[in-house]
Amino acid sequence: MSGSPKYTTVAFDVARREQLAAARRRREEDRWRRREEHRQRRLSVGIRAAEARRDALTARMGELVGMSRGLPQHAQVTAATDQVVGLRRPTDEAGLSRIGRELRGAERRADELTVAVSRELTRQEQSRAVELAVAPLRGLTDGAQFDPVGHRTIAALLDDTRRRAGDARGFSDLHQRLGEAVGAHLETVRDRQAHLLRLATETDELSAQLVDVLADAAAAGLAVAEESALRAELTGLRQEAAGGHVDRWERRVAGLRDRVAAVTAATDNRLDQLDRMALIVEAASAALPAAGLRVVPDSLAERADAVVFVAERADGSPVEMTVYAGDADGNRLEYRTAGSDIVVENAVGGAISRCDLTEELLERFHAELADQGVATDGLHWEGKPGQPRPPAVEALRRPAHDDRSRS
């Protein structure tokens, strides 16, 4: 094949552009469907967790109702319990956020009522008062990890309070401090739990996005340069769920979010290029026979940035066609021939190259290509004369079978 190829830049008509847009929409719809399925699974998990949290709070409030019976706070405890029991089951993300806020408020109210009932009991039964003061901590498994200082403070106060049982004045002061420490500890731990839940949700969403885009790339046979590193980073993020390094987890989520967005954009751009190349090959395959050329079977080959196939003229001489789908340079078709019909002529401005027969043939092909919705901007090559070839217009009108080789 000749070293300097002929080429043309191509553009798509409205119908072909819509065909490309439809391919992009299908890809986006498939991703949306997969993410929606993932979102629904995550929502179900969140709803079950919220219901378990509500049930635990209901059980706690039931115990407080019994302990407050005969005390001034009993009516308030009963009303707060009814509110917890009446919390509506969420059905969507908005409902899940709503019940999360409601449960947080109900937990705060339960903490306040527990302190009030506990203080009331200090006047009647100190041992019950101590146990009630620390009752909100039952089931709190992350206290030592998320608030170690508060956890140690409560342990020390609890020991001191129990030792001062029977000392009305000293016990009352320590009991109050114990209740305040428990309340502060609960706030700290719940804030940390909410923060970790948010990071876990973001990690889960990033995982779904990354899996989607890598699946699209794999289906198209595309290699993603960062795939191994991204999967390793995602594994590392999941390991952060233990919550030992929240600030680091936050930074890693932000960094991965940017990388996933960049990989998604690059992959989508490459998939769009593949769609455009496939469309050009499809149109060319339909146009070539009408222009007097035959596609050589099994000659199609994919390269990193192009698709190549071979067509034959009526005399059997090959024309190698390369399809590029670029960005700034647009979509491009290149042709390489054996060069047997290229004539170099000397002119005042220097040597010029003519290849009339190939030019006629490719002009016919371009005319047929336009009927397939792919327009060209003419045929170009290095050293092409500035003025049009005299029979250029006539070449478009010649029948496809009039392809006589000059070899």
Side-chain angles (χ1 to χ4, degrees):
M1 299 293 173
S2 59
S4 176
K6 304 167 187 64
Y7 62 90
T8 185
T9 301
V10 303
F12 302 114
D13 67 4
V14 173
R16 289 295 190 178
R17 288 198 299 272
E18 175 54 32
Q19 187 177 346
L20 290 169
R24 181 66 178 269
R25 284 196 300 272
R26 284 193 299 272
R27 191 162 64 242
E28 291 173 348
E29 287 167 0
D30 286 343
R31 285 185 191 170
W32 180 88
R33 176 183 49 76
R34 293 194 296 267
R35 291 176 189 173
E36 179 64 14
E37 291 171 353
H38 188 81
R39 185 189 66 81
Q40 288 294 339
R41 290 194 295 271
R42 189 172 64 243
L43 176 61
S44 297
V45 171
I47 289 173
R48 288 195 296 272
E51 290 179 328
R53 185 177 169 191
R54 182 198 60 195
D55 293 344
L57 183 57
T58 301
R60 177 186 162 193
M61 292 302 293
E63 293 178 3
L64 193 59
V65 167
M67 298 185 76
S68 66
R69 191 166 287 112
L71 301 180
Q73 295 82 11
H74 183 68
Q76 292 176 313
V77 172
T78 301
T81 302
D82 290 341
Q83 288 180 344
V84 173
V85 172
L87 290 177
R88 289 173 297 160
R89 183 182 187 275
T91 57
D92 54 21
E93 280 89 350
L96 194 56
S97 297
R98 170 188 52 76
I99 198 172
R101 293 190 299 271
E102 292 172 346
L103 282 168
R104 185 66 182 273
E107 287 166 343
R108 287 196 181 104
R109 181 59 175 155
D111 297 342
E112 294 167 356
L113 289 169
T114 299
V115 170
V117 171
S118 180
R119 286 177 180 169
E120 188 67 30
L121 286 174
T122 60
R123 303 185 182 94
Q124 304 175 24
E125 189 178 342
Q126 290 181 346
S127 61
R128 287 182 65 200
V130 172
E131 296 309 313
L132 185 56
V134 295
L137 301 179
R138 287 203 302 267
L140 190 70
T141 59
D142 302 324
Q145 177 185 354
F146 292 162
D147 183 21
V149 174
H151 182 76
R152 290 193 297 269
T153 299
I154 290 170
L157 283 169
L158 184 58
D159 287 343
D160 290 345
T161 305
R162 284 171 173 162
R163 281 198 302 269
R164 297 296 289 271
D167 180 352
R169 183 174 180 181
F171 177 85
S172 179
D173 177 62
L174 283 169
H175 183 270
Q176 181 175 346
R177 289 169 57 195
L178 177 62
E180 291 170 350
V182 168
H185 180 62
L186 287 171
E187 281 293 298
T188 299
V189 172
R190 287 170 184 159
D191 283 343
R192 198 68 173 271
Q193 288 173 333
H195 192 187
L196 291 179
L197 178 60
R198 177 180 65 79
L199 288 174
T201 299
E202 290 186 20
T203 298
D204 191 53
E205 291 173 348
L206 280 173
S207 173
Q209 293 173 23
L210 181 60
V211 168
D212 274 351
V213 72
L214 292 179
D216 286 343
L222 294 181
V224 177
E226 282 195 275
E227 179 173 354
S228 296
L230 285 168
R231 290 190 184 278
E233 179 64 13
L234 190 58
T235 299
L237 271 185
R238 293 195 182 104
Q239 292 171 350
E240 295 284 10
H245 303 280
V246 178
D247 291 341
R248 184 179 67 190
W249 192 3
E250 187 92 52
R251 290 192 301 272
R252 292 179 72 175
V253 165
L256 185 61
R257 186 186 302 114
D258 292 341
R259 291 172 68 186
V260 169
V263 166
T264 299
T267 301
D268 281 341
N269 181 61
R270 182 60 180 146
L271 290 172
D272 286 344
Q273 288 180 333
L274 291 177
D275 286 342
R276 293 199 301 274
M277 287 193 291
L279 191 152
I280 294 170
V281 170
E282 174 192 321
S285 298
L288 283 167
L293 293 109
R294 182 185 71 89
V295 179
V296 176
D298 301 322
S299 65
L300 186 70
E302 294 185 5
R303 298 177 182 171
D305 60 344
V307 174
V308 181
F309 62 99
V310 178
E312 286 182 347
R313 301 193 302 197
D315 64 352
S317 58
V319 179
E320 183 184 84
M321 298 190 173
T322 305
V323 180
Y324 294 95
D327 292 322
D329 295 332
N331 308 303
R332 179 180 169 112
L333 259 172
E334 286 187 359
Y335 312 102
R336 285 180 171 80
T337 60
S340 58
D341 61 341
I342 296 178
V343 178
V344 178
E345 301 176 353
N346 291 319
V348 176
I352 59 174
S353 299
R354 292 191 180 279
C355 46
D356 293 346
L357 182 61
T358 300
E359 189 171 1
E360 292 173 12
L361 188 64
L362 293 179
E363 282 172 350
R364 287 203 300 273
F365 169 59
H366 288 176
E368 297 295 340
L369 202 58
D371 290 341
Q372 298 295 325
V374 179
T376 62
D377 69 344
L379 191 63
H380 315 281
W381 66 87
E382 184 179 344
K384 181 180 179 180
Q387 296 299 319
R389 178 179 52 80
V393 175
E394 289 79 356
L396 296 178
R397 301 195 181 106
R398 292 180 185 174
H401 64 269
D402 184 19
D403 178 26
R404 295 181 297 276
S405 172
R406 298 184 182 183
S407 304

